[in-house]
Amino acid sequence: MAVDKASVVVLDAAEPLELADFYARFLGGEARVGSNPDYVEVVEPSGVRLAIRRDRGAAPPSWPRPDTSQQAHLHFLVPQDDMDEAEREAIDLGARPLETRDNGGRHDIRRYSDPAGHPFVLAASEGHGLA
């Protein structure tokens, strides 16, 4: 029998509470500080969890990487008709555009970095039933 497990994506940042606040506001969720102030979880209404761990020496990843290899990044699916609004929300909260071309329609993918420099994308989804 398998042991129960849960997965959480963890990002490193020098200021975990500030980055958790960015994602909580962007996702419409809540930042939760537990007994360890160096580890903050973001829980959004559908149950998706993201955690931010303090790393005083955290350096932002590069995007794209010079050797063109794929690196880990967050991928947020957004209803196709709401891409421009999601982009405005992200930028208003402190995200920085890495690539802002509008690919149009259902193949629209836009790249950003969060305030700590982690890359993420907004990707158009035909419906909000995350395809």
Side-chain angles (χ1 to χ4, degrees):
M1 179 167 82
V3 174
D4 284 340
K5 299 169 190 70
S7 63
V8 176
V9 173
V10 180
L11 300 175
D12 292 341
E15 298 297 333
L17 192 53
E18 289 177 19
L19 190 58
D21 184 56
F22 167 81
Y23 280 110
R25 291 172 58 205
F26 181 66
L27 296 171
E30 173 186 359
R32 296 180 183 167
V33 180
S35 60
N36 181 350
D38 290 337
Y39 185 87
V40 183
E41 284 194 343
V42 176
V43 180
E44 62 109 344
S46 71
V48 172
R49 295 169 70 124
L50 174 69
I52 316 297
R53 183 188 72 89
R54 183 179 310 277
D55 177 352
R56 292 187 186 350
S62 62
W63 184 277
R65 291 187 48 165
D67 59 6
T68 67
S69 67
Q70 178 73 9
Q71 71 183 28
H73 64 278
L74 300 172
H75 201 98
F76 297 106
L77 298 175
V78 176
Q80 186 176 330
D81 294 340
D82 294 335
M83 285 291 286
D84 291 338
E85 183 178 346
E87 179 176 65
R88 282 189 296 277
E89 282 181 359
I91 291 171
D92 287 348
L93 291 169
R96 294 178 300 278
L98 297 175
E99 184 179 277
T100 56
R101 70 174 181 225
D102 179 346
N103 299 313
R106 61 189 188 130
H107 300 292
D108 191 3
I109 296 176
R110 304 177 195 184
R111 293 173 175 82
Y112 308 87
S113 65
D114 67 25
H118 302 99
F120 71 91
V121 301
L122 299 177
S125 172
E126 290 184 16
H128 205 48
L130 307 177

